[in-house]
Amino acid sequence: LRFDEKVRVVVFKSEVKGVFCAGADLKERAKMDDAEVALFVRRLRNLMDEIAALPVPTIAAIDGYALGGGLELALACDLRVAASSAKMGLIETTRGLLPGAGGTQRLPRCVGIGLAKELIFTGRQVDGQQAFSMGLVNHSVPQNSEGDAAYQRALALAKEILPQAPFAVKMGKLAINRGMEVDIASGMAIEGMCYAQNIPTRDRQEGMAAFREKRPPRFIGK
């Protein structure tokens, strides 16, 4: 996906009705020794980092339970859409654990430090509407009879992104992600560097031409 230039948006959904991702299999985990657990969690953290580093926008379609590592997967995505009936939570402390695949870092960046601490310390689960009210998800939608309401809303969101200039979207994502980790002055410099890379693109020229000619732009990602 990282190197396929035809990919403009990635949507993560589950093939299991009622479950986005239920997290680690604790029965499997119980059979591992300490070294195996450490390796498992390190590999999981690396996977989440790979997802977060995808250059194109990513959307998690949460139509059911997203618990523990399952919520960490959703947090690694850029955008999250949830059915109002979905259940989400970093529940690790209820099992004698703590989030180990990015949850302690991505949740506070998403909802703020105080609320993230409360959710992690208590292991509380929230539904889609509660998640929306706290900024954990971008959209909360009523579940439908097919059980894929979040996926359908995620597709609609993806279709809003698709017509936009692919390289500009990628640079926008890069500027936001890198800028959020530094002070505002450094962030402005990062934005400037990303903007500079976008200036010579054919898509920028096409965007200007389409505006002048009063027609929809035809972006090619170049």
Side-chain angles (χ1 to χ4, degrees), residues 97-171:
L97 304 166
L98 73 153
T104 64
Q105 303 306 304
R106 293 192 174 101
L107 186 62
R109 285 167 167 80
C110 184
V111 303
I113 294 174
L115 187 51
K117 285 179 176 178
E118 181 177 335
L119 292 173
I120 290 173
F121 295 169
T122 63
R124 183 187 305 148
Q125 297 182 34
V126 297
D127 63 28
Q129 191 57 44
Q130 291 170 312
F132 173 72
S133 68
M134 64 179 62
L136 178 54
V137 301
N138 298 74
H139 302 276
S140 175
V141 293
Q143 188 55 279
N144 58 26
S145 58
E146 289 76 26
D148 68 349
Y151 176 58
Q152 295 302 325
R153 183 66 183 88
L155 283 182
L157 187 54
K159 288 175 182 176
E160 283 190 73
I161 298 170
L162 283 176
Q164 316 316 326
F167 188 75
V169 170
K170 289 180 181 179
M171 287 296 102

Side-chain angles (χ1 to χ4, degrees), residues 3-135:
F3 300 108
D4 187 344
E5 293 187 357
K6 294 179 181 178
V7 175
R8 297 193 180 187
V9 184
V10 175
V11 177
F12 287 83
K13 70 180 289 287
S14 173
E15 292 297 310
V16 180
K17 191 171 184 177
V19 179
F20 173 73
C21 179
D25 182 343
L26 296 185
K27 292 180 180 178
E28 177 188 55
R29 184 77 68 83
K31 299 175 183 177
M32 299 179 182
D33 60 31
D34 290 355
E36 290 172 326
V37 170
L39 176 61
F40 178 90
V41 174
R42 184 164 65 249
R43 291 177 63 189
L44 193 62
R45 188 182 303 116
N46 290 341
L47 171 63
M48 301 308 177
D49 288 344
E50 288 288 328
I51 291 170
L54 283 172
V56 298
T58 53
I59 307 173
I62 307 168
D63 273 307
Y65 286 96
L67 303 176
L71 181 53
E72 289 177 309
L73 168 60
L75 284 166
C77 295
D78 297 310
L79 308 173
R80 285 160 293 282
V81 179
S84 55
S85 58
K87 293 291 185 182
M88 286 158 271
L90 294 180
I91 61 171
E92 285 85 351
T93 56
T94 70
R95 301 292 184 267
L97 304 166
L98 73 153
T104 64
Q105 303 306 304
R106 293 192 174 101
L107 186 62
R109 285 167 167 80
C110 184
V111 303
I113 294 174
L115 187 51
K117 285 179 176 178
E118 181 177 335
L119 292 173
I120 290 173
F121 295 169
T122 63
R124 183 187 305 148
Q125 297 182 34
V126 297
D127 63 28
Q129 191 57 44
Q130 291 170 312
F132 173 72
S133 68
M134 64 179 62

